[in-house]
Amino acid sequence: MTTATRERRTRPEAKCPLRPGDVCNLCQLNVTGPQDCGLVYLVMSDPDLREEWGERRHAGR
């Protein structure tokens, strides 16, 4: 396979689970995406915040 015939592969952009439709802007150093984002961790580990986030997500649909 030559370089001319290879399809150009791009890295997928991580989406922010807390802001639907927004790309994860990786606003912290050493973060590779939502899977190790401190804010996502805090929201998902706190029952009250997680419930509020779920309500807002359903209201936005």
Side-chain angles (χ1 to χ4, degrees):
M1 189 183 298
T2 65
T3 56
T5 60
R6 282 189 202 164
E7 291 183 27
R8 186 175 188 178
R9 294 185 184 201
T10 59
R11 188 174 183 181
E13 293 181 332
K15 300 290 183 183
C16 179
L18 302 178
R19 297 175 312 208
D22 287 349
V23 176
C24 180
N25 61 2
L26 305 176
C27 53
Q28 297 180 19
L29 294 175
N30 301 321
V31 174
T32 59
Q35 68 275 5
D36 58 352
C37 173
L39 179 60
V40 173
Y41 172 76
L42 287 174
V43 170
M44 295 302 168
S45 64
D46 183 297
D48 294 332
L49 285 176
R50 187 175 184 147
E51 181 180 344
E52 182 179 339
W53 169 75
E55 289 171 1
R56 289 180 184 215
R57 190 177 85 194
H58 290 296
R61 291 183 181 177

